[in-house]
């Protein structure tokens, strides 16, 4: 995982980095688009998986691995909550 976008809720309600084993960009719902290559995974609602592959589901939410080889670095990324 080289980055994650949470499309379903505000970042403040996600638990932030407490679930990651390393520092990777964590984007909010209004962050860069899926085609930006800034993240490799997205949490979205069922039915919005797009071209990605669902790797986990819980209730109406799906963790999707996007079809990219790797992330493009984001030099402007801020580690602070918006």
């Amino acid at each position: 995982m080289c980055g994650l976008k949470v499309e379903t809720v505000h970042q403040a309600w996600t638990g932030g980095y407490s679930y990651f084993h390393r520092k990777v960009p964590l984007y909010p719902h209004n962050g860069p688009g899926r085609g930006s290559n800034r993240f490799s995974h997205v949490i979205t609602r069922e039915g919005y998986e797009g071209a990605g592959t669902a790797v986990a589901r819980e209730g109406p939410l799906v963790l999707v691995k996007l079809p990219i080889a790797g992330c493009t670095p984001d030099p402007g990324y801020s580690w602070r909550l918006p």
Side-chain angles (χ1 to χ4, degrees), residues 1 4 41-47 49 52-66:
M1 178 175 289
L4 173 69
H41 291 71
V42 62
I43 295 175
T44 192
R45 294 206 177 276
E46 190 170 15
E49 293 91 338
T53 303
V55 294
R57 295 178 188 275
E58 185 171 318
L61 303 179
V62 183
L63 174 64
V64 177
K65 181 174 183 340
L66 299 176

Side-chain angles (χ1 to χ4, degrees), residues 5-59:
K5 181 177 182 180
V6 180
E7 296 180 337
T8 56
V9 297
H10 190 279
Q11 276 182 298
W13 305 113
T14 65
Y17 287 100
S18 58
Y19 301 107
F20 284 111
H21 68 283
R22 63 186 173 95
K23 212 171 185 180
V24 298
L26 177 62
Y27 291 101
H29 68 281
N30 61 351
R34 291 185 183 192
S36 69
N37 291 342
R38 301 283 189 201
F39 47 91
S40 59
H41 291 71
V42 62
I43 295 175
T44 192
R45 294 206 177 276
E46 190 170 15
Y48 292 91
E49 293 91 338
T53 303
V55 294
R57 295 178 188 275
E58 185 171 318

